[in-house]
Amino acid sequence: MAESVTAKNLALAKAINESLRRALETDPKVLIMGEDVGKLGGVFRVTDGLQKDFGESRVIDTPLAESGIVGTAIGLALRGYRPVVEIQFDGFVFPAYDQIVTQLAKMHARSLGKVKLPVVVRIPYGGGIGAVEHHSESPEALFAHVSGLKIVSPSNASDAYWMMQQAIQSDDPVIFFEPKRRYWDKGEVDTEAIPGPLHKAQVVREGTDLTLVAYGPMVKLCQEVAAAAAEEGKNLEVLDLRSVSPLDFDSIQASVEKTRRLVVVHEAPVFFGSGAEIAARITERCFYHLEAPVLRVGGYHAPYPPARLEEEYLPGLDRVLDAVDRALAY
Amino acid sequence: MTVESTAARKPRRSAGSKAGATGTERTTRTTARKAAEPELVQLLTPEGKRVKNAKNAEYAKYVADVTPEDLRGLYRDMVLTRRFDAEATALQRQGELGLWASLLGQEAAQIGSGRALRDDDYVFPTYREHGVAWCRGVDPTNLLGMFRGVNNGGWDPNGNNFHLYTIVIGSQTLHATGYAMGVAKDGADSAVIAYFGDGASSQGDVAESFTFSAVYNAPVVFFCQNNQWAISEPTEKQTRVPLYQRAQGYGFPGVRVDGNDVLACLAVTRWALDRARDGEGPTLVEAYTYRMGAHTTSDDPTKYRADEERESWEAKDPILRLRRYLEASNHTDEGFFAELEAESEALGKRVREAVRAMPDPDRFAIFENVYADGHALVDEERAQFAAYQASFATESDSGLAAGPGGK
């Protein structure tokens, strides 16, 4: 190519695709594995065209066995490969949960650092696309509770591209939650940019009255909430966490010391969710700065409902605005 | 039995005749048991006699080069492994180890298969493979760290191509398969071996490893030590067909070997490893053996199995049979056994001393190697822990910790 065009307008799914392509080109040890990732290009087409260009030995269609996918990826990593595995949907990760929790997360520590497991587990997650059961869940807290794993979730195309690069380069296992309802959202991706640290939160909207914290699919919602609140004269700050483990408490603390109010938004059930951890730690760190208790908006302690009810279950504009009003009323 | 024949018996069953329900079930069970009777590859009988027949000829050629010296080496390995194991069991009884999983009775399966391996092969053990570890050159005292509670591993897996013990049943068969897929991708001619037990054969991970290894033609040998008992559950609670026959359904060969016959285990494992190296894919080896002791030191086998059963297996002792063969063949003299006894004593002493001298880990080891790249929360908690620890030193320094009537 005569001239390098580094900034592209890409859908989030396509950004991941291009990031995977770059990793396959750069490092011969990178492998893509999963159900339907080859000819079909994945059920969301995230791996579209990769097998055609890199062959069946680099982009591997696997048997329908999630524990097998993660377990063999561990073995490949022990042999020096860097597998990126796709779990087709959030609710299907549980057959692999044992391998992820008892093996992938702990082997580095058990070996006293002698072995490294640079495995990325990609999980399209979350609701809002009208899917049937087990296709809309947000199990990130179940993984964040486990030491040895890193849990990240991009909210936009640029982060999707760069965070995937960083996840693949990490010597630690990374659970990469992809917000499936944002797969088709487009954004600018500068493929020559120098990305910030993988686990640094980003202020995506500056504000002074209250901090909204979110990650993955809920960041866009929080930006919409901030825009709606602005019409009522409320000036909200929106923080995109990007990473659930580690969690950038310093950035949340800095924001809360400025705004003095915090609302955490995620799709996962509120009970024992990542919002609970954020609320507890921020209360500890910012007790004398807070003007209101940290509030949480998320899913209920109920199975993810049938699609016709998911708008009731998922945090929406009004539910988040309601929490904002309650926090501001203290 | 076909569905039709079962249906045909129904009227008689409801009629309550002797050939009724019980009879039908009995027939089915008998059929299953008959099929489960061992069809073993055996090269040495329990009496220590070489077996030569058409069935084992294919495997016997894999040990045609075994010299009397090699045989003495196998015998030495088994004796020393048994001694190490007995010492560890005693150390557990003395409170020096929190737990021990004895390999008593499985020496031939482990030494035979372990000595079939090349240095560049890779082993994925469960938690009872002390004999295989011995063959790999892992210092036996390193195996005791996790049982003493000073670490969760104790050796560098890449130092001897011997992975850490895996406690979750069957998980390692998938790691072995993935590793073997990597070996194939690298174009290397080494092989991988995964050890597991009869109980593990019921785990989904083992089934998935069979599927993956067959689909990708991975150079892996699945070495199942069927020691007849998964804690208190007999093999009949795991399977209705002989375990080696499982392989057929996945499209690769399975073979049952006399697991108390070190020569047969060596031969069959060599054969299976050769297949792997030649690109012929996975093999399932079922070593038909017996766990003579308890599952672990926490277990009480007298609650679930009869003494006669153990006694019948003691007659098939793997060490005794090789000794009989060595003696009958004039491959040894009294000097050999005396020297080995002295070596055995020395090993026992070394193990005892090493365990008692094993230092507790540094308390900050809790936070080490949780992540390769680091993690903010671990750093924060390590700092809190350090401050907490330091607070004792401060109190002590200021005399606060000296107690009533302090200095």
Side-chain angles (χ1 to χ4, degrees):
Chain A
M1 205 183 287
E3 160 182 303
S4 134
V5 181
T6 64
K8 301 175 183 176
N9 193 35
L10 295 175
L12 191 150
K14 182 66 177 164
I16 297 173
N17 177 278
E18 296 228 349
S19 189
L20 294 173
R21 173 177 293 277
R22 177 172 175 163
L24 285 163
E25 279 167 355
T26 312
D27 184 351
K29 294 293 185 185
V30 170
L31 305 172
I32 310 292
M33 299 168 66
E35 297 160 13
D36 305 306
V37 298
K39 277 208 178 87
L40 181 66
V43 290
F44 290 104
R45 312 293 182 266
V46 172
T47 55
D48 196 27
L50 298 179
Q51 189 182 66
K52 183 170 149 284
D53 295 339
F54 295 94
E56 290 182 18
S57 69
R58 302 284 309 281
V59 181
I60 305 165
D61 273 323
T62 63
L64 269 76
E66 284 78 9
S67 189
I69 294 169
V70 173
T72 53
I74 290 170
L76 281 156
L78 292 172
R79 180 71 190 181
Y81 287 85
R82 303 184 89 85
V84 181
V85 309
E86 176 176 303
I87 300 295
Q88 208 155 62
F89 283 93
D90 34 66
F92 303 169
V93 73
F94 297 108
Y97 195 67
D98 167 47
Q99 282 287 348
I100 293 172
V101 172
T102 70
Q103 308 298 318
L104 186 62
K106 295 186 170 70
M107 215 177 272
H108 179 68
R110 291 190 64 221
S111 72
L112 305 178
K114 301 293 186 194
V115 300
K116 293 187 171 60
L117 290 176
V119 176
V120 178
V121 181
R122 294 181 39 235
I123 308 178
Y125 84 122
I129 63 163
V132 296
E133 74 170 330
H134 310 306
H135 288 69
S136 305
E137 295 168 14
S138 299
E140 64 273 14
L142 294 169
F143 294 91
H145 197 63
V146 179
S147 61
L149 302 175
K150 292 186 170 179
I151 319 298
V152 301
S153 179
S155 69
N156 59 69
S158 176
D159 272 355
Y161 181 91
W162 283 111
M163 288 167 70
M164 180 58 76
Q165 288 295 303
Q166 292 166 315
I168 294 172
Q169 283 157 20
S170 169
D171 279 335
D172 287 310
V174 178
I175 314 295
F176 198 95
F177 281 103
E178 298 172 4
K180 68 169 89 83
R181 72 153 103 172
R182 306 295 181 213
Y183 268 151
W184 303 277
D185 289 3
K186 287 193 165 184
E188 285 287 304
V189 178
D190 182 349
T191 56
E192 298 298 313
I194 296 165
L198 176 59
H199 301 102
K200 182 98 179 104
Q202 270 176 354
V203 177
V204 293
R205 181 189 174 109
E206 302 254 7
T208 52
D209 298 341
L210 179 145
T211 301
L212 280 175
V213 158
Y215 50 86
M218 290 289 96
V219 173
K220 186 178 177 185
L221 174 71
C222 287
Q223 288 171 302
E224 290 164 1
V225 167
E231 289 175 16
E232 300 168 6
K234 296 161 191 162
N235 188 5
L236 308 189
E237 180 147 304
V238 179
L239 200 60
D240 179 358
L241 282 180
R242 303 168 76 246
S243 169
V244 176
S245 178
L247 219 152
D248 183 1
F249 288 107
D250 292 344
S251 292
I252 308 174
Q253 180 176 352
S255 179
V256 170
E257 284 178 1
K258 182 172 68 168
T259 66
R260 296 175 172 263
R261 287 176 171 83
L262 176 62
V263 173
V264 188
V265 183
H266 52 60
E267 289 192 17
V270 164
F271 188 68
F272 271 83
S274 45
E277 182 60 41
I278 294 169
R281 286 204 187 239
I282 290 303
T283 302
E284 204 175 317
R285 285 182 175 220
C286 308
F287 188 69
Y288 294 108
H289 287 92
L290 285 168
E291 298 283 352
V294 179
L295 299 181
R296 293 166 290 160
V297 185
Y300 301 110
H301 193 55
Y304 194 90
R308 298 286 174 141
L309 287 175
E310 69 179 337
E311 291 308 322
E312 304 295 329
Y313 175 91
L314 291 166
L317 197 72
D318 290 337
R319 272 177 66 198
V320 182
L321 279 170
D322 187 55
V324 167
D325 287 347
R326 280 196 290 136
L328 288 170
Y330 276 91
Chain B
M1 181 184 296
T2 63
V3 173
E4 288 76 12
S5 66
T6 310
R9 282 168 198 251
K10 267 186 178 166
R12 278 194 287 165
R13 193 187 298 168
S14 56
S17 75
K18 268 193 167 179
T22 317
T24 309
E25 284 170 19
R26 213 173 267 156
T27 310
T28 313
R29 270 210 301 270
T30 309
T31 311
R33 199 182 299 140
K34 194 170 182 187
E37 274 171 14
E39 279 188 25
L40 302 169
V41 175
Q42 188 184 64
L43 300 180
L44 268 185
T45 67
E47 295 74 35
K49 295 204 165 56
R50 276 300 300 266
V51 184
K52 283 185 181 155
N53 58 36
K55 181 174 167 50
N56 70 24
E58 184 188 351
Y59 305 103
K61 65 187 181 206
Y62 283 87
V63 288
D65 63 337
V66 169
T67 63
E69 190 186 349
D70 295 334
L71 289 171
R72 285 194 295 273
L74 294 170
Y75 182 80
R76 174 180 173 271
D77 288 337
M78 289 197 291
V79 167
L80 294 180
T81 301
R82 179 170 289 188
R83 179 51 184 262
F84 162 70
D85 184 74
E87 208 63 51
T89 302
L91 284 162
Q92 195 282 331
R93 296 296 182 225
Q94 293 159 17
E96 299 288 350
L97 301 178
L99 184 80
W100 182 245
S102 167
L103 68 18
L104 184 63
Q106 298 177 221
E107 294 87 352
Q110 295 195 15
I111 300 298
S113 60
R115 285 294 174 214
L117 299 164
R118 262 181 7 201
D119 284 351
D120 61 331
D121 295 336
Y122 212 101
V123 180
F124 287 85
T126 172
Y127 44 77
R128 201 190 294 280
E129 267 63 78
H130 322 313
V132 186
W134 173 267
C135 294
R136 299 306 285 175
V138 176
D139 191 302
T141 61
N142 287 346
L143 303 177
L144 300 171
M146 68 185 292
F147 293 99
R148 187 170 171 84
V150 302
N151 58 46
N152 290 321
W155 58 93
D156 177 356
N158 294 322
N160 307 72
N161 282 8
F162 185 78
H163 192 68
L164 299 175
Y165 279 180
T166 298
I167 306 278
V168 180
I169 304 296
S171 292
Q172 75 281 0
T173 58
L174 280 169
H175 309 157
T177 300
Y179 194 96
M181 288 162 64
V183 168
K185 281 181 189 303
D186 293 344
D189 81 333
S190 48
V192 180
I193 188 163
Y195 288 86
F196 59 103
D198 43 305
S201 72
S202 299
Q203 289 280 359
D205 275 3
V206 173
E208 293 187 21
S209 69
F210 288 179
T211 298
F212 274 69
S213 64
V215 165
Y216 299 116
N217 203 43
V220 58
V221 176
F222 296 105
F223 196 90
C224 175
Q225 288 168 87
N226 177 358
N227 69 11
Q228 313 300 325
W229 293 93
I231 308 189
S232 70
E233 294 190 10
T235 314
E236 298 85 78
K237 293 285 183 198
Q238 314 295 339
T239 182
R240 294 302 301 269
V241 298
L243 288 173
Y244 72 95
Q245 291 180 4
R246 291 257 178 100
Q248 191 185 359
Y250 293 89
F252 55 86
V255 61
R256 178 179 269 179
V257 61
D258 185 336
N260 286 18
D261 174 355
V262 71
L263 209 53
C265 288
L266 178 69
V268 169
T269 312
R270 280 181 173 176
W271 163 77
L273 290 165
D274 262 19
R275 289 192 73 253
R277 294 188 212 293
D278 291 346
E280 291 176 50
T283 306
L284 171 62
V285 177
E286 179 192 359
Y288 201 78
T289 181
Y290 192 70
R291 179 245 290 164
M292 290 210 261
H295 166 71
T296 68
T297 45
S298 300
D299 174 35
D300 178 8
T302 63
K303 292 187 76 164
Y304 56 82
R305 68 185 192 191
D307 291 345
E308 303 82 63
E309 182 183 291
R310 184 188 151 121
E311 285 157 16
S312 76
W313 279 91
E314 277 171 357
K316 302 178 201 168
D317 188 297
I319 296 183
L320 191 58
R321 91 170 58 177
L322 184 55
R323 181 169 182 139
R324 284 172 175 153
Y325 177 65
L326 287 169
E327 288 175 335
S329 320
N330 291 320
H331 286 331
T332 55
D333 54 32
E334 272 310 310
F336 170 75
F337 294 111
E339 268 174 45
L340 187 52
E341 181 55 29
E343 192 179 359
S344 183
E345 281 301 317
L347 176 66
K349 185 166 181 284
R350 179 162 81 84
V351 168
R352 279 196 301 280
E353 287 172 356
V355 165
R356 290 182 177 134
M358 217 174 260
D360 283 348
D362 183 276
R363 60 188 67 181
F364 284 91
I366 294 168
F367 304 99
E368 281 169 21
N369 301 307
V370 183
Y371 291 86
D373 300 339
H375 190 287
L377 181 61
V378 177
D379 293 343
E380 185 183 322
E381 293 185 353
R382 184 196 289 109
Q384 288 168 356
F385 183 76
Y388 179 67
Q389 298 296 333
S391 71
F392 292 105
T394 310
E395 285 173 15
S396 173
D397 290 347
S398 63
L400 290 172
K407 48 186 173 176

